[in-house]
């Protein structure tokens, strides 16, 4: 499936949720009537309309699982400014609490790229979600900065207040702030992942041809997260341009199986 192709969506509801800073987070609920809910977190400077988010939500909907994709603060329709990782984890907390208070149970959280790091950080801080999917999140944040902006990036950003980052595919991310890079440097994914509950199932999906985040980062997550499954999609790039259907199938199958296991345990 090409990146421009969407899996058909049947029913969506716009939902607005306040975060703890009083900012409105806007999202779309794919309603199936299930009591279980899956929350989807998008990548850096993307939105809920990103093809990966749309297709994952639709794939879950086809399995009868309700899903919610939302704009993090400062992105898409949501208010505020683009936050750091821990702030986005707290925004995710606000979304989960909203739906848990609406007679639902948030059964899984899924994040792509920056969203992948956010869901892992959430799982390390809060231990109420037992199924987490990390789609090509970065493990080595410091290394990522140096890869894209050079070893002198911190000196340049101190002087100018921002830098432009060019990915290996040639895509340019403009006006990356000093605060964001410092947040990257101060976020220790290794230590955070060690805090994830051993009963929490974690799936990491990564493309072998990812031009933004090396597949080696996925291997590091596999080493340190105890209850972990690793799935490498051969030939997939960072946006899963030609592998949207395969990604959606892997993620939805993992979550469906996890929900079935949870139902079986609860019935015993």
């Amino acid at each position: 499936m090409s990146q421009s192709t969407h899996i058909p969506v049947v029913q969506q509801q716009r939902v607005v949720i306040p975060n703890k800073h009083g900012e409105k987070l806007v999202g779309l609920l794919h309603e199936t009537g299930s009591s279980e809910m899956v929350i989807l977190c998008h990548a850096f400077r993307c939105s809920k309309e990103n093809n990966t988010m749309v297709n994952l939500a639709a794939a879950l909907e086809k399995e009868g699982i309700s899903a919610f994709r939302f704009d993090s603060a400062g992105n898409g329709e949501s208010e505020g400014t683009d936050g750091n990782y821990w702030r986005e984890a707290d925004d995710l907390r606000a979304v989960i609490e909203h739906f848990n208070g609406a007679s639902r149970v948030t059964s899984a959280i899924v994040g792509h790229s920056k969203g992948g790091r956010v869901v892992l950080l959430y799982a390390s801080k809060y231990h109420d979600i037992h199924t987490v999917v990390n789609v090509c999140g970065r493990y080595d944040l410091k290394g990522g900065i140096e890869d894209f902006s050079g070893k002198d990036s911190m000196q340049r950003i101190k002087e100018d207040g921002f830098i432009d980052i060019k990915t290996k595919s040639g895509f340019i991310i403009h006006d990356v702030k000093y605060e964001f890079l410092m947040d990257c440097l101060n976020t220790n994914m290794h230590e955070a992942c060690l805090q994830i509950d051993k009963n929490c199932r974690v799936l990491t999906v990564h493309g072998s041809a990812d031009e933004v985040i090396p597949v080696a980062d996925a291997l590091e997550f596999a080493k340190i997260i105890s209850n972990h499954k690793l799935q490498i999609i051969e030939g997939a790039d960072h946006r899963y341009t030609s592998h949207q259907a395969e990604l959606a199938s892997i993620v939805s199958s993992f979550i469906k199986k996890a929900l079935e296991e949870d139902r079986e345990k609860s019935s015993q």
Side-chain angles (χ1 to χ4, degrees):
M1 179 186 295
S2 69
Q3 188 179 6
S4 60
T5 303
H6 286 177
I7 299 170
V9 174
V10 177
Q11 183 180 8
Q12 298 173 16
Q13 300 172 16
R14 187 173 184 271
V15 180
V16 179
I17 301 168
N19 64 13
K20 70 178 186 180
H21 304 284
E23 299 160 345
K24 294 178 181 178
L25 305 175
V26 180
L28 287 173
L29 171 62
H30 293 238
E31 179 61 82
T32 69
S34 68
S35 59
E36 299 100 348
M37 171 69 65
V38 178
I39 310 297
L40 306 176
C41 301
H42 62 73
F44 179 59
R45 291 192 180 171
C46 285
S47 77
K48 63 182 180 300
E49 301 304 330
N50 173 266
N51 284 340
T52 298
M53 297 291 98
V54 173
N55 289 336
L56 287 176
L60 290 164
E61 185 183 67
K62 288 178 69 175
E63 295 292 346
I65 304 166
S66 295
F68 183 70
R69 51 187 171 94
F70 73 102
D71 296 323
S72 62
N75 293 276
E77 296 183 85
S78 291
E79 296 177 345
T81 56
D82 200 3
N84 63 30
Y85 295 111
W86 288 110
R87 177 165 170 153
E88 288 198 15
D90 286 339
D91 283 354
L92 176 56
R93 179 70 169 174
V95 171
I96 289 170
E97 288 181 334
H98 171 85
F99 284 109
N100 286 354
S103 301
R104 294 181 185 268
V105 176
T106 303
S107 301
I109 50 179
V110 181
H112 174 226
S113 194
K114 185 184 182 185
R117 300 192 290 274
V118 169
V119 297
L120 290 172
L121 291 173
Y122 180 94
S124 76
K125 182 176 181 180
Y126 305 102
H127 302 283
D128 56 339
I129 305 298
H130 303 299
T131 303
V132 175
V133 180
N134 160 37
V135 180
C136 60
R138 187 181 292 280
Y139 171 81
D140 182 7
L141 298 176
K142 182 178 180 180
I145 293 171
E146 292 181 350
D147 284 347
F148 291 135
S149 51
K151 295 185 182 298
D152 64 340
S153 58
M154 293 311 298
Q155 182 60 38
R156 287 188 287 120
I157 202 170
K158 283 179 182 178
E159 294 173 357
D160 300 334
F162 69 94
I163 56 173
D164 294 336
I165 292 178
K166 185 176 182 179
T167 69
K168 293 177 182 177
S169 63
F171 181 76
I172 298 176
I173 305 171
H174 293 285
D175 196 23
V176 177
K177 304 294 186 186
Y178 173 79
E179 292 80 6
F180 175 75
L181 290 193
M182 289 306 298
D183 183 45
C184 289
L185 293 175
N186 292 329
T187 302
N188 189 325
M189 292 304 298
H190 181 92
E191 291 301 319
C193 288
L194 292 176
Q195 303 304 314
I196 296 175
D197 192 280
K198 292 179 173 57
N199 293 319
C200 178
R201 315 172 188 86
V202 178
L203 168 67
T204 292
V205 185
H206 213 105
S208 68
D210 193 316
E211 75 287 7
V212 176
I213 298 174
V215 71
D217 282 37
L219 302 179
E220 292 301 320
F221 286 125
K223 292 177 185 177
I224 61 175
I225 300 174
S226 58
N227 190 355
H228 186 272
K229 178 180 179 181
L230 175 61
Q231 184 79 49
I232 305 297
I233 299 181
E234 289 299 322
D237 62 15
H238 190 66
R239 294 175 179 80
Y240 298 86
T241 305
S242 301
H243 297 80
Q244 285 283 312
E246 188 174 356
L247 173 64
S249 176
I250 289 169
V251 173
S252 61
S253 295
F254 178 81
I255 292 174
K256 183 180 179 181
K257 181 180 178 182
L259 292 180
E260 290 171 349
E261 290 174 355
D262 288 344
R263 292 191 197 107
E264 187 176 336
K265 287 179 183 178
S266 65
S267 65
Q268 292 176 353

